[in-house]
Amino acid sequence: MAELQRLRVDHAPALLAFEQENRTYFAASIPDRGDDYFAHFDARHHELLAEQASGLHFLHVLVDAGGAVVGRVNLVDVADGSAELGYRIAEKSAGQGLATAAVREICARAAAEYRLTTLRAVTTLDNAGSRAVLARTGFIPTGEVRLGGRPGLRFVRDLGEVLEDTAP
């Protein structure tokens, strides 16, 4: 099983490999990051770590026993007790329950460690796997959205019950 770790500077090589190996796979269901992302990866990685240090984001990677990144789970645009959830799982690791387990874990962390009360998420309509993960983890559809020109849905998750489930 993979371990959810806060993003660190030393994750950069494994994270870049993960993004490069899965670029075509990801682009089939979510907007592509673009060539600039890869060309300036190191600078962007340091920017993200600085934004995380300032409390704007809580960024995570899923790391397997060999140290390879097999997924990302991020809480971005943190403000007023809320954040936007984003996640992606490597093609070779898809369909194994990693996304569902990671989203459940990030919901617990968001409530207990980060003191968030609400998470938001979006996904394209043709990304059935992501919609299923959000449904299994307590997210409720709240409206339509367009992502990279594609139809999608907005979701929300109230984290109040997460704290109740983890209370002593």
Side-chain angles (χ1 to χ4, degrees), residues 64-152:
D64 71 12
V69 171
V70 295
R72 297 183 81 159
V73 184
N74 297 322
L75 301 174
V76 300
D77 300 332
V78 175
D80 301 322
S82 181
E84 178 100 10
L85 168 69
Y87 54 91
R88 50 180 61 200
I89 301 297
E91 182 175 20
K92 68 181 181 183
S93 301
Q96 300 174 23
L98 284 179
T100 298
V103 169
R104 284 187 177 131
E105 184 173 344
I106 205 65
C107 286
R109 284 190 191 190
E113 292 178 37
Y114 308 143
R115 300 293 182 215
L116 300 177
T117 57
T118 307
L119 295 181
R120 303 172 313 279
V122 295
T123 189
T124 55
L125 289 179
D126 60 355
N127 191 339
S130 188
R131 287 195 338 267
V133 167
L134 292 170
R136 282 193 294 269
T137 56
F139 284 79
I140 299 167
T142 60
E144 297 177 358
V145 67
R146 295 207 59 87
L147 297 169
R150 296 159 62 180

Side-chain angles (χ1 to χ4, degrees), residues 43-71:
R44 181 65 184 136
H45 187 70
H46 286 286
E47 288 172 16
L48 288 173
L49 290 170
E51 291 170 353
Q52 176 170 260
S54 74
L56 185 59
H57 309 309
F58 299 110
L59 309 169
H60 305 81
V61 289
L62 279 170
V63 179
D64 71 12
V69 171
V70 295

